[in-house]
Amino acid sequence: AQTVTQSQPEMSVQEAETVTLSCTYDTSENNYYLFWYKQPPSRQMILVIRQEAYKQQNATENRFSVNFQKAAKSFSLKISDSQLGDTAMYFCAFMKTPGTYKYIFGTGTRLKVLA
Amino acid sequence: EPEVTQTPSHQVTQMGQEVILRCVPISNHLYFYWYRQILGQKVEFLVSFYNNEISEKSEIFDDQFSVERPDGSNFTLKIRSTKLEDSAMYFCASSEASGRNEQYFGPGTRLTVT
């Protein structure tokens, strides 16, 4: 069975600084996707970034990038130039493929961006 | 931009009562999911639904739970006889096609069983 671990329950960062959120996972699968979702207070989860396991290149979306280390089963999220609107709960998720495409989530990291 | 919607946002019910949580997935999506999050714990998969049938369910999804897509737009989760431990946030999600498409989540329904 797959597991996802986020070892940082809470983090804070000063506005405009860079922060890295950690995620590790355990699987024997070779084909899978990894995701970071953001859940702002009282709002729904939205996708931040996605990584296909077969791609060696790390995914990047504007200020968000990942460090995907397949052998180490690590998938960290880096947020550059942090903004107040980045304050949210961040969830790491694993999905094997092919399959029923269910997500396995980590416990989340609560990020607070300080002015 | 299309969104997944869920109603109600908060439901309070007494132990033993039946509840139905409603979701309207994005209209051209084909895969539907329910997840739940007990306060302070991780988001857990309950069930996935495709082509009008359950494609996978977790061990949490016992005989007290059922899902239905009654009219081509709504996707419902029914809990037949609620228990205190069913108190949680329930999230509906949908995705367009195969797994490479990300899931879009609704805002959740907070279920409180007293």
Side-chain angles (χ1 to χ4, degrees), chain A residues 82-97:
Chain A
S82 297
Q83 300 174 358
L84 296 177
D86 295 332
T87 293
M89 193 75 164
Y90 286 81
F91 292 99
C92 177
F94 170 99
M95 183 194 75
K96 76 169 188 175
T97 182

Side-chain angles (χ1 to χ4, degrees), chain B:
Chain B
E1 187 173 329
E3 287 188 335
V4 176
T5 59
Q6 290 185 245
T7 53
S9 57
H10 190 192
Q11 172 103 37
V12 181
T13 190
Q14 289 192 324
M15 197 166 53
Q17 294 296 303
E18 175 183 286
V19 295
I20 297 176
L21 309 184
R22 291 183 167 81
C23 168
V24 179
I26 295 172
S27 61
N28 63 334
H29 284 191
L30 300 176
Y31 291 78
F32 312 109
Y33 309 84
W34 283 101
Y35 295 83
R36 81 170 185 192
Q37 184 180 30
I38 294 172
L39 189 63
Q41 298 185 23
K42 63 171 64 179
V43 178
E44 301 172 289
F45 168 77
L46 290 178
V47 65
S48 57
F49 191 86
Y50 169 71
N51 201 25
N52 279 323
E53 59 183 26
I54 291 173
S55 43
E56 184 175 353
K57 57 184 181 180
S58 72
E59 58 190 28
I60 302 168
F61 194 90
D62 61 21
D63 291 344
Q64 294 301 311
F65 290 86
S66 62
V67 289
E68 196 178 28
R69 188 154 161 79
D71 55 14
S73 62
N74 290 282
F75 179 51
T76 61
L77 174 70
K78 184 194 291 187
I79 309 175
R80 263 180 271 281
S81 179
T82 49
K83 307 184 192 73
L84 293 176
E85 54 265 38
D86 293 327
S87 293
M89 194 75 156
Y90 288 81
F91 295 102
C92 173
S94 67
S95 65
E96 185 174 354
S98 61
R100 73 169 304 279
N101 297 91
E102 68 266 23
Q103 293 177 24
Y104 290 76
F105 285 82
T109 292
R110 181 166 299 285
L111 177 65
T112 302
V113 183
T114 61

